[in-house]
Amino acid sequence: MNASKITCKNVWKIFGSNPKNILKNLDRSLSRSEVQEQTGHVIAVKDVNFSIEKGETFVVMGLSGSGKSTLVRCISRLIEPTTGEVIVDNEDVIKMNSSELLHMRRHRMSMVFQHFGLFPHRKVLDNINYGLEIRGMDRKKRNERAMEVLSLVGLDGWEDNYPRELSGGMQQRVGLARALAVDPEILIFDEPFSALDPLIRREMQDELLSIQKMVQKTMVFITHDFLEAIKMGDHIAIMKDGEISQIGTPEEIVANPVDQYVRDFTEDVPRYKVLSAGKIMRKEISPSTEKLFKSKTNIILDNVKVDDLIEKIADSDTPLPCCCSKSGKLLGEIDRSIVMRSMISRS
């Protein structure tokens, strides 16, 4: 298991005139609306705890007003938490002084926003190298680095254009390139693709996943779209009214939603695209399956997605052995009927 890159401990954010005093005397059984009605203060983030491993993509999702954007802004202290700890590489961001915080934002952390945030008067190349410019890097070196990431995001030949000459998807690629140019350890995405047309949005999702395979950054990704969350995330935190309802892998959340709020998100998800063989297998093992396992024939690994099994299972009239991807141990068996049920079941 990788070491934790970011850990949030008991993070609260309350908006109002005297948030620390309100928190000190807060009746925690009250709902967000009741607290607002009684105190005039708004609980945006309520006692949040989670850890993000180095190199993973951690998605924070929820409906509008759930607190997801406020929470992620607390990580970089664009918003000051009312209380709690935000630990990045064993350093508490909340305790950083101004110069330490500035250094972290310039050298270790970058953000990509929904509306691109490009400078209209600067050409693409100068937008991308902006973070390197404020670091004091000389023009030749920063332009060389900018051209490298320009190629990485698929914008070769556009370096001398202005943002107004680019499509929305291309502008978002420039925003991504600018974030990557400073080679940050952490990338934070605030609903980066929600303003794009569906086709361009899917292309950008695929592009980011492809880039992540190469660069292996720690990514925090905000979205209100559950399909986007399960596509992008190694782990997902689902928020409601400032609290986290559930944290898990896409598979864990789709297979075992903790409440109706989470279940509503998962209802229309194609389960066979999320669930793996290990989640749907039958644990009882028939003699024919034992025989196939011993002969190393038609073995299915437990971490393979059901979607990738369909063609193989369709041609088999007998159960196939399902084995642990790490140990090789026989765990159970899968047959055509199990796969078909997983494709239609919503339970």
Side-chain angles (χ1 to χ4, degrees):
M1 180 179 290
N2 293 331
S4 293
K5 185 71 174 178
I6 303 170
T7 301
C8 288
K9 298 181 180 179
N10 309 115
V11 175
W12 288 75
K13 179 57 186 178
I14 300 176
F15 290 103
S17 58
N18 195 0
K20 290 187 179 294
N21 187 57
I22 290 296
L23 179 58
K24 182 179 178 180
N25 299 293
L26 183 67
D27 179 352
R28 300 195 179 189
S29 68
L30 296 177
S31 68
R32 174 194 268 185
S33 58
E34 288 171 331
V35 171
Q36 185 173 0
E37 184 178 329
Q38 293 181 21
T39 69
H41 288 66
V42 176
I43 298 177
V45 175
K46 184 178 180 180
D47 199 20
V48 163
N49 295 272
F50 61 79
S51 290
I52 303 174
E53 292 183 358
K54 182 179 180 180
E56 81 163 310
T57 300
F58 187 87
V59 174
V60 182
M61 73 146 299
L63 302 177
S64 179
S66 62
K68 57 187 185 297
S69 291
T70 301
L71 171 61
V72 172
R73 280 165 168 74
C74 287
I75 293 175
S76 62
R77 273 180 63 192
L78 290 176
I79 292 177
E80 292 284 348
T82 302
T83 190
E85 297 175 78
V86 178
I87 310 298
V88 176
D89 290 332
N90 299 315
E91 294 182 82
D92 190 349
V93 175
I94 310 303
K95 295 179 181 177
M96 287 182 177
N97 60 36
S98 297
S99 61
E100 291 170 335
L101 189 59
L102 183 62
H103 183 274
M104 183 187 72
R105 290 173 179 169
R106 284 186 175 179
H107 294 267
R108 300 168 60 191
M109 186 180 291
S110 289
M111 290 195 71
V112 181
F113 296 97
Q114 176 180 344
H115 296 294
F116 320 136
L118 303 181
F119 299 112
H121 61 286
R122 296 176 71 117
K123 293 181 178 180
V124 165
L125 191 69
D126 292 325
N127 264 284
I128 294 172
N129 69 29
Y130 177 72
L132 301 173
E133 181 181 341
I134 62 174
R135 279 189 187 178
M137 183 181 287
D138 70 71
R139 173 172 282 278
K140 182 180 179 181
K141 288 184 178 179
R142 68 177 186 255
N143 282 350
E144 287 174 354
R145 173 60 182 163
M147 289 298 291
E148 288 176 11
V149 293
L150 191 77
S151 179
L152 186 64
V153 300
L155 285 178
D156 292 292
W158 292 90
E159 60 271 14
D160 291 326
N161 291 79
Y162 289 94
R164 63 179 179 273
E165 298 172 318
L166 276 58
S167 68
M170 294 169 75
Q171 289 182 41
Q172 190 58 286
R173 287 171 188 266
V174 176
L176 175 57
R178 182 172 60 188
L180 290 169
V182 297
D183 196 24
E185 301 163 22
I186 298 167
L187 279 163
I188 298 177
F189 297 86
D190 187 2
E191 301 206 50
F193 308 143
S194 60
L196 303 176
D197 292 335
L199 180 60
I200 303 300
R201 183 174 186 169
R202 287 194 296 273
E203 289 178 357
M204 286 301 301
Q205 291 167 353
D206 293 339
E207 186 77 24
L208 182 56
L209 288 171
S210 176
I211 290 172
Q212 173 65 336
K213 285 181 180 179
M214 291 185 280
V215 300
Q216 291 292 296
K217 302 296 183 181
T218 303
M219 296 189 178
V220 186
F221 192 100
I222 308 172
T223 182
H224 63 268
D225 183 337
F226 188 65
L227 290 176
E228 182 169 70
I230 62 174
K231 180 175 182 178
M232 303 302 298
D234 296 305
H235 286 87
I236 303 170
I238 298 181
M239 293 192 71
K240 179 185 180 184
D241 294 337
E243 297 182 85
I244 291 181
S245 297
Q246 184 171 357
I247 296 179
T249 65
E251 183 176 32
E252 289 167 346
I253 290 174
V254 170
N256 300 296
V258 297
D259 56 25
Q260 189 58 48
Y261 178 70
V262 178
R263 195 171 293 112
D264 288 342
F265 283 117
T266 67
E267 190 173 39
D268 296 323
V269 173
R271 290 167 59 83
Y272 65 94
K273 290 184 177 291
V274 181
L275 299 182
S276 63
K279 282 288 184 182
I280 68 166
M281 69 178 186
R282 182 168 51 236
K283 293 184 179 180
E284 295 79 11
I285 301 170
S286 65
S288 64
T289 299
E290 287 269 14
K291 186 176 181 180
L292 286 173
F293 172 67
K294 289 177 180 178
S295 66
K296 307 292 185 184
T297 304
N298 285 331
I299 288 176
I300 293 170
L301 298 181
D302 64 334
N303 61 355
V304 174
K305 298 301 180 189
V306 175
D307 192 25
D308 297 324
L309 292 178
I310 295 173
E311 187 173 345
K312 184 174 185 177
I313 289 290
D315 295 330
S316 176
D317 293 322
T318 58
L320 303 181
C322 183
C323 300
C324 178
S325 59
K326 295 180 179 178
S327 69
K329 180 182 177 182
L330 179 60
L331 302 174
E333 62 184 28
I334 293 178
D335 59 25
R336 196 159 42 203
S337 64
I338 293 174
V339 170
M340 290 178 66
R341 281 197 299 273
S342 77
M343 293 177 68
I344 61 176
S345 173
R346 292 180 182 270
S347 60

